[in-house]
Amino acid sequence: MSAVATAGAVPSLWTLGAEELQAPKIEYGQLSPTIIVLGAAVIGIVLEAFLPRKLRYGAQLVLSALGLTSAFAAVLALALTGHGSSKAAVAGMGAIAVDGPALFLQGTILLVGLVSVFVFAERRLEPRAHAARSLVDSFAAQPASVPGGEGEREATKAGWTTTEVYPLLLFAVGGMLIFPAANDLLTLFIALEVFSLPLYLLCALARRRRLLSQEAAVKYFLLGAFSSAFLLFGAALLYGYAGTFGYSGIARVVANADRATSTVLAETTGSDALLLIGGAMVIMGLLFKVGAVPFHMWTPDVYQGAPTPVTGFMAAATKVAAFGALLRLLYVVLPGLRWDWRPVMWGVAILTMLAGAVVAITQTDIKRLLAYSSIAHAGFLLAGVIATSRDGVSSVLFYLGAYSFVTLGAFAVVTLVRDAGGEATHLSKWAGLGRRSPLLAGVFAIFLLAFAGIPLTSGFSGKFAVFKAAAEGGAGALVVVGVIASAIAAFFYIRVIVLMFFSEPRADGPTVAVPSVWTTSAITIGVLVTVVLGVAPQYFLDLASQAGVFVR
Amino acid sequence: MESLIGLLVGFPLLGAAVLLCGGKRLEKTGHWLGVVLAGASFVLGAVLFFDMLGKSADERALHQHLFSWVPVESFQADVAFQLDQLAMTFVLLITGVGTLIHIYSVGYMEHDERRRRFFGYLNLFLAAMLLLVLADNYLLLYVGWEGVGLASYLLIGFWQHKPSAAVAAKKAFLVNRVGDAGLAIAIFLMFTTFGSFAFAPVLSNATEAGEGKLTAIGLMLLLAACGKSAQVPLQSWLGDAMEGPTPVSALIHAATMVTAGVYLITRSGAIFNAAPDAQTVVVVVGAVTLLYGAIVGCAKDDIKKALAGSTMSQIGYMVLAAGLGPIGYAFAIMHLVTHGFFKAGLFLGAGSVMHGMNDEVDMRRYGGLRKYMPVTFVTFGLGYLAIIGFPGLSGFFSKDQIIEAAFAKGGTQGWILGAVTLLGAAITAYYMTRVMLMTFFGEERWRGQANEPHPHESPKSMTIPMIVLAFGSVFAGGLFKIGESFVHWLEPVTQFEHGHSPLSAPVVTGATVVTMLIGVGAAWLQYGRRPVPAEAPRGSLLTRAARRDLLQDDLNHVALVLPGEYLTRGLVYVDNKVVDGAVNGTAAAFGGLSGRTRRLQNGFVRSYAVSMFGGAAILVAATLLMRAV
């Protein structure tokens, strides 16, 4: 009551709230994909708490698959009812955009998540003798148990498998759905944390080479936190500049359309230094997630250390989400600053393409090789981002869709090539694989050709679209560098193919595990998407082209 | 009637398809299918011929548009046929002689395991050649042209187990490719000049194009003709092509392949008429080849190679006549037809001799065969009389006409050409008499050899075609000559002008006969009166050169092969040192760069964080700098 009495004189926190706080208006329909996924994740945690151990694996699997499928259905429904084009709007009190790029990327992320669940669910790769009649997956049952040892055997017998990975994956997917749709800087930051934290955890869960896995998780976490700090600091500076976190609000200030009225911010509003420094820092935070040079150094270590199914998920989905966010930031918030950020991004793109391709040449571990390859691809994608045209957006969207399935498939193949110590990731062990299991090696060759951008694979269609957009957007020099980097990159992709098909198999070479239907279907989907997008890309290019407009 | 034209090509094409794809089931009977389909094509040709005779001269040309092949705006390529008098002549020659050769091959190839395939190729050869002469545009003609090249390659190298046959096939194919390039360029030029490559628009507008362009087109067409018709300088493949089975030689030399060049020049008459310079080159090529082939024919001891030289020489006559323009086209074709009869007869006769002599080809190991092979002797003898131009036989009429036309060219050129053709006639008489004497007369030099043959007459399937062809050798020329019927027949297509020879016709004819008799006499003095040594004497410089085909291969080796080899060696050197050096150097450079750069990835989070911080600093600084600039 006392607060009310003093309301007239000094506005207290309470009265301020009472006057201005209104019930938020939430468009549940338009936000349904995210809500479904996050809801499923919460249910997953509850299941984890209450369900008997034996049932958890099945239940989590069904729940995840169901959640992701229905979320994808929701995205489809939204897209079909025109929310991607004519009815594109900003929902959730200005926090989340529902438009073409957002729906396209959300759909891609959901499919990637679904296929990742398949790879996560694989439990038949370990030879039966090691697993002692119990089924183990790629994740550690207990932190202390030795892989294939007595402790693990008991743990798995008792059903102590790490089924928490499914809700963790769902949380990550949920965050990733928000990330490219985030329409203000705070939502962006929260989404970043929502999908990053589960990833840190997932990275640490490898069943074999535990130390490497934990080291990777710690590195990822430390550097991730570091970059989050940059992003948050940048967001604060931008708030200082514009007096708002909202993308469209900042964009208006940048365009000199209006000024924040708050007296507190009167001094800083419109200060170019704040804008440029803040913008650069937010971009930096996103470039870290993308894995662009010089913020790429976590990538090889984390990709190598994380359980391979997680690596595949992370490499595919994170890239999609982060590039989505980067596109939105550059196209919605900072288009007025194009002449300031473009030269810098040019430099980043060139460095990223070249560094990724060059360093990959001397890699000897297949997972590290793919990590550097992903860096090079981040560079190619940046070339499309820099195009600053509608074609640029749609080509990046297409490229992301194509690339993520190639990546998923490639990492799924990596999980199958095994020796006594688990996955045989050293390249020398892959020698002659094509002689021993031509089908698997053939499939991997398709993925490698797609990475290299050879025609009739999705990699070519995507790279062509991106470079075309970049060249038309006035970045011809960038395209030249991109093609040179592609040539360098082709070397190490083809080298793996040569190694697989034209070398003598090693006597102590790895065996190829016969996967269950889960991994098989994941790889099959990967191959199908790769080939279809390579042979008949036009429909999907059109789709991406229709989805290439951001709501402002 | 128009709708039947396609079947002319269709029958043998069907035969080729069935025989080549049919597999082992057709092994026993397949060859008869080939014969029947070739015969069907001939019968159809004859029907169309009589139908054509019933019409007036201007209405005789038939057209059939089968389908649009490449319709792209102004580029309209059609699969369409044109059957006029010129094409009709070729159709009858190709299918008629071709069918006889098919029948002959039934006997000749009886013991060959791959006879079915052989007949498939023969049918393919006929189909390609018919397509060539029936096409109503140059592009479709080119298809037939290439088909002929392919079929000849397959047939010359039919006995591919012999390296010499494989090499000869390759040689024929490669040399022909040079000519093919000429035809392709000619077609390109036509398209850019006339906007079309169909006969009608190109030939009727020929006079409107500039003479320079027409000369270029003409020379390219001549290059093409030189390849297919084995004219200097692309003659080198013909002799080696004797490696193929003898019926193939007969087919190549009489009915198909080598006649294609003469057809092309005659068909493109309108272009050559408007390009006198090209015409002069054609005449020169013909005259040179005429003597070249004749000289080579004199020195060869291999019966087939002697005949091959003779073919080259006779085609030289035709090319020369075709180069004379409207005064010569009809005679070129007339000689082509008569030559088709007697040359096919001669080759089949040679094959028959070889058949009876354990496939021996060296005439120095023949001799006195007339007793053992009477039918072969008589038919071969009639062919021989025809080719040397013995009065009253086919060759006499057709060759005499060409010699007369050569004189009628007028001026110094006329005298030179006339003299060359007369000289050629003398040499022809000489080397053909030589072949005749060495094979059928004199001592039986084959006796007492290690592997003594038992000469015998060939089976009916081989002798009957020879007899039929002998009739053609004897009467065809006379028939054509009566009332100038052949010239009138072709006139609507090729035009005709009477040449005005500075010598009167009887004088030319008399000179022809006299030179012919001189040639025969010289040969008789050398080979008839004296015994023929079983080993070839060393001979004069010219003889030795002629035995080596007047050094054609040596010349090609020095002029083309050696520079090519040096060029490739040079390129390999450049490739190894410069290109590979650059590539390997670049690769090594990137490898080194990669090795250095990866050391930055040292695994310590602290240095990663520093690099991120540094990167962020640079990013911010660069952004600010951009604004400042």
Side-chain angles (χ1 to χ4, degrees), chain B residues 61-84:
Chain B
L62 298 178
H63 282 271
Q64 183 190 10
H65 184 269
L66 215 56
F67 58 89
S68 247
W69 179 21
V70 188
V72 183
E73 300 201 354
S74 69
F75 186 99
Q76 292 290 338
D78 293 331
V79 174
F81 299 122
Q82 169 183 329
L83 183 69
D84 56 7

Side-chain angles (χ1 to χ4, degrees), chain A residues 219 223 226-227 230 272 276-277 280 284 288 294-295 297 300-301 337 340 343-344 348 358-359 361-362 368 372 488, chain B residues 590-591 593-595 597-598 600-601 603-605 607-613 615-616 619-620 622-624 626-627:
Chain A
K219 278 180 182 169
L223 296 174
F226 194 41
S227 82
F230 273 99
D272 272 356
L276 293 175
I277 297 172
M284 192 227 110
F288 172 84
F295 314 108
M297 302 196 100
D301 293 11
L337 288 183
D340 297 297
V344 180
V348 172
V358 167
V359 182
I361 294 175
T362 43
R368 282 185 89 82
Y372 280 106
I488 300 171
Chain B
F590 274 112
L593 184 65
S594 176
T597 322
R598 73 184 287 206
L600 293 176
Q601 190 79 25
F604 293 117
V605 179
S607 39
Y608 294 179
V610 167
S611 88
M612 279 172 65
F613 188 79
L619 207 66
V620 169
T623 317
L624 289 173
M626 279 304 134
R627 173 54 63 95

Side-chain angles (χ1 to χ4, degrees), chain A residues 179-199:
Chain A
F179 202 49
N183 202 39
D184 70 43
L185 291 170
L186 272 186
T187 315
L188 182 79
F189 176 72
I190 289 167
L192 174 74
E193 292 306 315
V194 167
F195 82 76
S196 291
L197 290 171
L199 285 182

